[in-house]
């Protein structure tokens, strides 16, 4: 049984990952709100990743960093503070967690780190300047640490398209917007959090023991986006 720290496991994709892993692994959730359910393998700490000290953990095999943001505005309406906040939650929070647990993680069983990017970092989508910039930082971190921490620790990222979570609720707030998003994907759908959780589970497993420094795009071919 592995011990896995999930930052942001009470909602959205993080919640789905906890659900996938908790029956067979010890899961430690760090987030500002507790998960909706309890489980013998689940431990929760109320933590604001940017403000609070992280709890001491003596044994660890993987870190999954799920917090993110969707701050969609034209560049003329994005403030410097918007860019700072998006970078803080997406990049600095991940760096904080990695630095905190790096030494104990090195002693883990097939240790790995999983972060999250977005397809917008590569596709060039309107109104995504701030979040795409922040997530590009995540991808740079993955590439750099993939080389630096090898061969002891693997690190990868998943870059999903629109996923049906609370974070993306403004993008899916009515039937017209839902249909528009589906039409922009050749498979006429967007992601369910469980699909992303399945990819996360694979990347954390021994089946992916030769994969590191990679960005895995989960995308149905989106080509444009409007709000």
């Amino acid at each position: 049984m592995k011990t896995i720290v999930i930052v942001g496991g009470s909602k959205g994709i993080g919640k789905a990952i906890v659900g996938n892993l908790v029956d067979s692994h010890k899961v430690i959730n760090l987030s500002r709100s507790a998960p909706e359910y309890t489980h013998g393998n689940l431990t929760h700490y109320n933590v604001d990743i940017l403000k609070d000290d992280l709890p001491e953990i003596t044994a660890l095999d993987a870190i999954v960093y799920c917090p993110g943001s969707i701050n969609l505005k034209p560049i003329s309406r994005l403030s410097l503070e918007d860019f700072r906040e998006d970078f803080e939650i997406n990049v600095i929070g991940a760096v904080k967690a990695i630095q905190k647990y790096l030494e104990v993680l090195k002693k883990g069983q097939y240790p790995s780190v999983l972060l999250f990017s977005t397809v917008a970092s590569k596709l060039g989508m309107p109104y995504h300047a701030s979040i795409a910039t922040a997530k590009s930082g995540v991808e740079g971190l993955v590439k750099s640490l993939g080389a630096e921490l090898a061969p002891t620790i693997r690190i990868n990222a998943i870059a999903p398209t629109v996923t049906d979570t609370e974070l993306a609720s403004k993008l899916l707030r009515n039937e017209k917007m839902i249909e528009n998003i589906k039409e922009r994907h050749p498979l006429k759908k967007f992601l369910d959090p469980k699909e992303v959780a399945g990819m996360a589970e694979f990347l954390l497993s021994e089946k992916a023991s030769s994969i590191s420094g990679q960005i895995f795009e989960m995308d149905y071919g989106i080509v444009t986006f409007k709000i």
Side-chain angles (χ1 to χ4, degrees):
M1 178 181 289
K2 291 185 177 182
T3 299
I4 301 173
V5 163
I6 299 181
V7 183
S10 60
K11 297 180 180 179
I13 290 171
K15 177 181 176 181
I17 294 173
V18 170
N20 269 27
L21 297 176
V22 74
D23 285 337
S24 53
H25 302 287
K26 180 180 178 181
V27 176
I28 301 172
N29 178 58
L30 311 181
S31 62
R32 291 179 295 178
S33 59
E36 296 175 352
Y37 61 92
T38 59
H39 191 286
N41 292 338
L42 177 61
T43 302
H44 170 72
Y45 291 92
N46 270 82
V47 171
D48 185 319
I49 186 64
L50 297 180
K51 297 178 181 179
D52 299 332
D53 292 334
L54 302 184
E56 297 297 326
I57 296 171
T58 58
L60 183 61
D61 302 297
I63 299 170
V64 183
Y65 186 83
C66 301
S69 53
I70 300 181
N71 190 6
L72 306 185
K73 299 177 187 176
I75 187 64
S76 59
R77 289 174 47 202
L78 282 167
S79 66
L80 293 180
E81 190 59 29
D82 286 326
F83 279 89
R84 291 190 185 99
E85 288 179 359
D86 284 339
F87 193 83
E88 285 276 336
I89 190 63
N90 289 282
V91 181
I92 300 303
V95 171
K96 181 178 177 179
I98 292 168
Q99 289 183 331
K100 172 68 177 180
Y101 298 122
L102 183 60
E103 292 307 312
V104 67
L105 186 62
K106 287 179 180 178
K107 302 172 185 177
Q109 178 184 5
Y110 298 100
S112 63
V113 177
L114 180 63
L115 308 182
F116 281 86
S117 182
T118 171
V119 293
S121 292
K122 287 195 173 66
L123 291 179
M125 296 159 67
Y127 313 123
H128 284 67
S130 182
I131 186 58
T133 298
K135 290 299 193 183
S136 293
V138 170
E139 296 193 5
L141 184 65
V142 167
K143 294 293 184 181
S144 180
L145 293 186
E148 180 178 335
L149 301 181
T152 306
I153 298 173
R154 299 184 301 109
I155 179 168
N156 295 290
I158 298 173
T161 186
V162 177
T163 308
D164 189 9
T165 65
E166 182 179 332
L167 191 64
S169 59
K170 290 183 179 179
L171 306 178
L172 304 170
R173 63 180 180 266
N174 58 53
E175 288 300 320
K176 182 178 180 181
M177 295 184 75
I178 290 172
E179 288 305 312
N180 284 343
I181 288 174
K182 287 181 177 179
E183 284 301 314
R184 287 178 171 83
H185 293 78
L187 292 183
K188 308 304 180 189
K189 60 183 292 189
F190 46 83
L191 286 171
D192 184 281
K194 292 180 180 179
E195 295 178 90
V196 185
M199 174 64 82
E201 187 174 11
F202 167 73
L203 290 172
L204 294 171
S205 73
E206 295 175 20
K207 295 178 181 178
S209 61
S210 296
I211 300 174
S212 189
Q214 303 302 309
I215 314 298
F216 289 87
E217 296 183 16
M218 295 189 69
D219 178 27
Y220 295 119
I222 194 168
V223 295
T224 187
F225 200 86
K226 295 181 180 180
I227 58 172

